[in-house]
Amino acid sequence: MNSMNENHQNHNRFSFMPTHTTRIIAYLVTAATFAAGMQVGHFSQMAPGVIAFALTYPWITTLVSKRFCQEKSDLVNTTLILTDGLITGVIMVLAQFSVVPSIMFLVVIYFNSMVTGGIKIWLGANAAMIIGIVAGISAVGLDEYLITTPKLVTIVVGIGSGIYIAVAAYYANNQTTSLINTQLTVQQQNNEAAALSQKLSKYLPPQVWSSIFAGSNDAILETQRKRLTVFFSDIKGFVNISEELEPEALTELLNSYFTEMSNIAHEYGGTIDKFIGDSIMIFFGDPTSKGIKEDSLAAVSMAIAMRKHMKVLRQQWRSFGVSSPIEIRMGINTGYCTVGNFGATSRMDYTIIGKEVNLASRLEALTQPSEILISETTHALVRDKVMCRDKGQISVKGFSKPISIYQIVDFRTELGSEQSFIEHETEGFAMYLDTNKVRNYDKEKIIKALEMATQKIKDSLPLS
């Protein structure tokens, strides 16, 4: 945001408006032109007045605009160029439309008006110039047109026009260079800000990060009550696993596990609250929600996907030297929580609190390896899509009545002969197959791998 403001300020600073210097030069050339015309009797008797005006007017407007009108530079420049157009019309009448000076006047006013504001200002300058011509003819009349221009006037106009164009080009080149340098600086700042933003985004859930940038979530200490679905998980027997591995291997394993689980959470739209040791806390329904039923189903679907994916991870982790099977436990609850920014004005954390959060944590602590326990409220929202097993009731601090809990079996569509996955694990063998996720171009490779495995097993059987 700061870079954008700086860019806007730099644009106002460097865009080529009719600079005071070029305006002063244009009027000096006009004064010199009428002075040369006086020497050869080319212009009317009002030439001295034009010279005096051309020598004083641009200086007065420069002093006034610099002292009193700096905050409205765009309006001031537009007003000046329209006023210059009006004056140009009057001066052309006083010059009796002498060809060479008139062409110079037109070139100067057209150039200034186009670089000031494009077609609109150019049309305005033309209109002002026509008004000036009509006003000039009405005021002083026009006896004759000066078709030819004396050599002295032509030479003065040529030299003056050359000086004006050279100075204007010099300023334009300087300002163009300044614009390019400013754009390069802003681009570099934007790139640095984007890189920093990308780094900082890893410390916040994508949904929260996006809501902050979209302006729907402010970085202030503010909370609200919302009905959310809360998920907790941890690794069963993590203390025993940590004793088997060196700290470096344990760190690599844990980071790998968190990365895989985070990818699944993002796939189902979960907001990752925090990592606590080997535990993960995720919630659904904030900062965006698809509806409480859809949020609850997404949380349960995520948990089932995590449980299935653990079979793949266990095979990978054997390379870390983990001999005991790694299982995760998961608990899910749905209810009203307080969600928002907690902490201090200088350091805040986007999280959720409430007894419903505590219930989800309690359910996770009660589960067996690879088990998913859900509360009665979550069960009521997902039971039409998910098969569950009644696990009785538990008493939880903060709840006056016992809480009914249920164990997730699987999606109803995945049960029976139409199930899309096959899994089996024993000593020396592990397989997890989900036909819904197998890509067409991988099928032949999988078939060949299964055929090779089958043949290996057959070859290892003792002869009968």
Side-chain angles (χ1 to χ4, degrees):
M1 186 65 70
N2 289 335
S3 295
M4 292 176 62
N5 291 336
E6 289 174 6
N7 191 18
H8 178 70
Q9 292 171 0
N10 288 329
H11 173 74
N12 288 338
R13 185 184 306 143
F14 294 118
S15 58
F16 187 82
M17 295 296 183
T19 64
H20 298 297
T21 301
T22 54
R23 287 186 71 252
I24 290 172
I25 291 176
Y27 277 100
L28 288 176
V29 173
T30 301
T33 300
F34 273 85
M38 286 180 59
Q39 293 294 322
V40 295
H42 187 57
F43 295 130
S44 67
Q45 295 180 353
M46 297 187 66
V50 174
I51 295 172
F53 175 81
L55 291 175
T56 56
Y57 170 72
W59 293 101
I60 295 173
T61 56
T62 297
L63 293 174
V64 172
S65 61
K66 281 187 175 181
R67 184 164 185 176
F68 301 106
C69 306
Q70 290 182 353
E71 295 181 357
K72 299 180 180 180
S73 59
D74 291 345
L75 178 61
V76 170
N77 281 298
T78 300
T79 302
L80 287 177
I81 197 64
L82 294 179
T83 304
D84 288 343
L86 184 69
I87 293 171
T88 299
V90 175
I91 290 177
M92 289 176 68
V93 173
L94 297 177
Q96 297 175 272
F97 294 102
S98 181
V99 175
V100 176
S102 296
I103 292 175
M104 181 202 71
F105 300 147
L106 286 174
V107 168
V108 170
I109 196 65
Y110 282 0
F111 179 82
N112 280 347
S113 61
M114 285 299 292
V115 298
T116 297
I119 296 296
K120 289 184 179 180
I121 301 299
W122 178 79
L123 292 173
N126 274 289
M129 186 169 57
I130 292 172
I131 293 173
I133 291 173
V134 173
I137 293 175
S138 300
V140 301
L142 185 65
D143 296 333
E144 60 176 332
Y145 296 97
L146 299 177
I147 303 300
T148 59
T149 303
K151 290 183 179 180
L152 178 62
V153 176
T154 301
I155 292 171
V156 170
V157 170
I159 295 174
S161 299
I163 294 173
Y164 171 82
I165 292 173
V167 173
Y170 171 78
Y171 276 96
N173 178 69
N174 280 353
Q175 292 169 350
T176 300
T177 302
S178 298
L179 267 177
I180 293 173
N181 292 335
T182 301
Q183 289 173 348
L184 291 175
T185 301
V186 171
Q187 183 62 44
Q188 182 180 358
Q189 292 174 345
N190 288 340
N191 291 339
E192 292 174 354
L196 179 60
S197 173
Q198 183 65 24
K199 293 177 181 177
L200 292 176
S201 67
K202 298 182 183 299
Y203 292 89
L204 283 175
Q207 300 93 329
V208 177
W209 186 257
S210 299
S211 66
I212 291 174
F213 270 84
S216 57
N217 188 5
D218 294 327
I220 58 176
L221 292 174
E222 184 178 63
T223 61
Q224 57 182 320
R225 293 279 290 174
K226 295 184 74 173
R227 198 177 182 196
L228 307 176
T229 298
V230 188
F231 167 93
F232 277 89
S233 74
D234 75 345
I235 299 176
K236 178 67 174 178
F238 183 73
V239 174
N240 296 332
I241 297 171
S242 63
E243 293 175 353
E244 294 182 25
L245 301 177
E246 293 295 328
E248 294 79 8
L250 181 64
T251 300
E252 188 175 353
L253 181 147
L254 200 57
N255 287 341
S256 172
Y257 165 73
F258 283 146
T259 298
E260 296 291 335
M261 296 300 105
S262 296
N263 290 339
I264 296 174
H266 294 157
E267 180 183 349
Y268 288 92
T271 300
I272 300 175
D273 187 295
K274 59 177 66 72
F275 302 110
I276 314 168
D278 61 310
S279 301
I280 306 176
M281 177 181 172
I282 303 170
F283 57 87
F284 291 76
D286 190 80
T288 59
S289 174
K290 296 181 180 178
I292 187 60
K293 184 177 179 64
E294 291 300 320
D295 291 339
S296 298
L297 185 59
V300 172
S301 301
M302 178 194 70
I304 294 174
M306 287 178 172
R307 182 172 63 182
K308 291 179 179 179
H309 193 63
M310 283 303 297
K311 297 181 181 296
V312 178
L313 291 181
R314 277 196 292 272
Q315 299 304 310
Q316 297 176 357
W317 289 343
R318 287 198 172 116
S319 62
F320 287 99
V322 180
S323 58
S324 57
I326 296 179
E327 303 282 357
I328 60 173
R329 310 181 302 177
M330 293 168 279
I332 301 174
N333 177 44
T334 302
Y336 281 94
C337 308
T338 302
V339 58
N341 294 318
F342 294 83
T345 54
S346 58
R347 172 68 172 87
M348 45 186 84
D349 187 18
Y350 194 87
T351 186
I352 58 175
I353 61 173
K355 65 178 184 178
E356 303 295 346
V357 179
N358 298 335
L359 177 55
S361 178
R362 177 72 184 278
L363 291 177
E364 179 264 317
L366 292 173
T367 57
Q368 298 299 314
S370 297
E371 188 179 34
I372 307 170
L373 289 183
I374 63 174
S375 65
E376 186 175 11
T377 52
T378 304
H379 175 256
L381 293 165
V382 302
R383 62 186 178 185
D384 57 331
K385 298 290 182 65
V386 180
M387 178 66 72
C388 301
R389 183 178 294 116
D390 191 341
K391 295 285 287 184
Q393 294 181 328
I394 60 171
S395 297
V396 181
K397 184 179 180 180
F399 292 83
S400 58
K401 297 180 180 180
I403 303 296
S404 298
I405 61 174
Y406 298 83
Q407 179 193 61
I408 295 292
V409 179
D410 207 335
F411 293 109
R412 293 183 182 275
T413 56
E414 294 292 340
L415 299 174
S417 58
E418 296 183 357
Q419 67 182 25
S420 65
F421 68 92
I422 302 171
E423 55 183 330
H424 187 76
E425 188 171 2
T426 186
E427 186 69 28
F429 177 80
M431 182 183 75
Y432 168 69
L433 173 65
D434 190 342
T435 56
N436 285 337
K437 294 185 178 180
V438 174
R439 297 167 293 192
N440 287 330
Y441 52 83
D442 287 333
K443 288 182 178 179
E444 288 297 327
K445 297 178 183 178
I446 294 173
I447 292 172
K448 288 182 180 179
L450 292 174
E451 289 175 347
M452 289 177 61
T454 302
Q455 188 62 44
K456 285 283 187 182
I457 294 173
K458 288 180 178 179
D459 292 343
S460 64
L461 292 175
L463 295 175
S464 57

